[in-house]
Amino acid sequence: MLEPGTEVRTWLAPAKVNLALHITGRRDDGYHLIDSLAVFTRFGDRLEIEPAEQDDFSVSGRYAAGLPLDDGNLVVRARDALRLEAGAQHAPPVAIRLEKNLPIASGVGGGSSDAAAALNGLARLWKLDIDDRSLARIGLSLGADLPMCLKSQPLVARGIGDEVSPLTAFPALGLVLVNPGIAVSTPEVFKALSSRDNEALPPLPKRLDFHAVRNWLTATRNDLEGAARSIEPAIGEALKALKRADAAFARMSGSGATCFGLFETGNVAKRAAIAIRARHPDWFVAATRSMEVSDGEA
């Protein structure tokens, strides 16, 4: 049995950025079908997990206020779901501390990424003999974004988000994430959709670098952006701010309201973030880079 205080591990729960998001249909149960290229960033929430005498969960950070500390939080539900799968004798009590750096309900998978980090972290801490498919099944029971967040690498997601295809090569991208301080309800955005049967993503170019990715993105969409902007016009202001800061490409991520700008280098992204923050000190603004994958790593 693990002794309290003997092992503390920190896990990054990265922001998920949907570079492109096409809505390709709707199932009879109401779930929408997607075709999305997603990347994960070096910026995100953080989880500290360690053995404890009894379960404990706490939250700190800029966006901690108002987050539930019971099973209304996906991290707690992830812990309990994995314990149920493993058996209580293999899953002793843990203290989990969440540092909440990402805005809530902001289209970058914050809660899902937190839960995925908890599943991955607890599986390691508890030394469980559990495969990726079983973790993805548990994750999907918590939310459609969980299977892709469990991978946390460049990927294409289809189905309801559960059909995940990691890419074998994808470059690191300089990104600025901007949220104008508003939360957007995902169900409300889907309800406002005008079209639910759109074409799938075009094939990715064979050779991927910054310019190829940017050019490919111009032939894609986020089908949720128009609906989200009709609910929260401030999303348009965030996109304008990114373009004013010379983003090579700007778009809303997920169901919003966070938008991303693409920049050729990390340093250019940092300078752009400083400029946007100076004009909009109350907004969430973060310069970061996406995680890359090289041939053979996936």
Side-chain angles (χ1 to χ4, degrees):
M1 177 159 170
L2 294 165
E3 291 298 324
T6 58
E7 192 173 9
V8 182
R9 293 189 180 180
T10 301
W11 299 87
L12 174 67
K16 172 184 66 67
V17 178
N18 297 98
L19 296 179
L21 176 57
H22 291 196
I23 306 299
T24 58
R26 191 179 191 180
R27 298 196 318 195
D28 291 341
D29 61 6
Y31 275 100
H32 286 80
L33 302 175
I34 68 168
D35 196 2
S36 179
L37 172 65
V39 295
F40 293 81
T41 71
R42 298 180 185 281
F43 178 84
D45 297 338
R46 290 190 175 275
L47 267 74
E48 279 189 357
I49 308 175
E50 67 175 322
E53 294 285 355
Q54 59 186 29
D55 281 331
D56 184 57
F57 176 61
S58 58
V59 186
S60 63
R62 180 177 176 184
Y63 295 101
L67 275 184
L69 299 177
D70 56 12
D71 61 6
N73 193 294
L74 274 177
V75 171
V76 173
R77 287 167 59 194
R79 178 201 69 198
D80 294 348
L82 187 58
R83 179 175 283 143
L84 186 65
E85 177 87 7
Q89 70 274 25
H90 301 298
V94 286
I96 303 176
R97 293 180 289 275
L98 169 63
E99 183 184 283
K100 193 67 188 163
N101 302 315
L102 293 169
I104 297 159
S106 64
V108 288
S112 297
S113 193
D114 296 344
L119 287 175
N120 280 324
L122 288 168
R124 290 281 295 277
L125 185 69
W126 286 335
K127 296 180 170 60
L128 300 180
D129 182 18
I130 187 167
D131 59 21
D132 289 348
R133 184 174 294 182
S134 297
L135 271 184
R137 172 177 49 79
I138 296 167
L140 186 60
S141 73
L142 301 170
D145 273 356
L146 263 290
M148 62 180 108
C149 289
L150 281 162
K151 291 291 185 189
S152 289
Q153 67 182 81
L155 54 83
V156 173
R158 298 187 177 92
I160 61 170
D162 57 329
E163 299 169 22
V164 175
S165 302
L167 300 177
T168 56
F170 202 81
L173 301 172
L175 295 165
V176 174
L177 306 180
V178 173
N179 186 293
I182 52 176
V184 180
S185 162
T186 299
E188 290 301 314
V189 172
F190 275 104
K191 200 183 294 183
L193 270 178
S194 56
S195 174
R196 293 178 168 82
D197 294 292
N198 305 299
E199 72 275 15
L201 292 174
L204 281 164
K206 286 191 167 49
R207 183 172 179 81
L208 286 163
D209 58 19
F210 174 85
H211 298 287
V213 171
R214 182 199 58 198
N215 292 341
W216 180 84
L217 285 173
T218 61
T220 68
R221 308 175 307 280
N222 179 346
D223 286 330
L224 300 180
E225 190 173 303
R229 287 179 69 165
S230 71
I231 295 168
E232 283 291 355
I235 293 167
E237 296 304 310
L239 291 167
K240 276 185 202 169
L242 284 162
K243 288 168 185 169
R244 184 178 175 185
D246 294 326
F249 184 85
R251 174 173 283 164
M252 188 185 82
S253 175
S255 56
T258 303
C259 300
F260 68 88
L262 205 58
F263 294 86
E264 193 154 4
T265 70
N267 284 335
V268 176
K270 285 177 188 172
R271 287 197 293 273
I274 290 167
I276 295 170
R277 208 174 284 119
R279 295 189 195 106
H280 304 281
D282 297 333
W283 286 9
F284 164 81
V285 183
T288 185
R289 286 173 70 77
S290 65
M291 298 177 197
E292 66 183 319
V293 63
S294 303
D295 284 318
E297 285 182 19

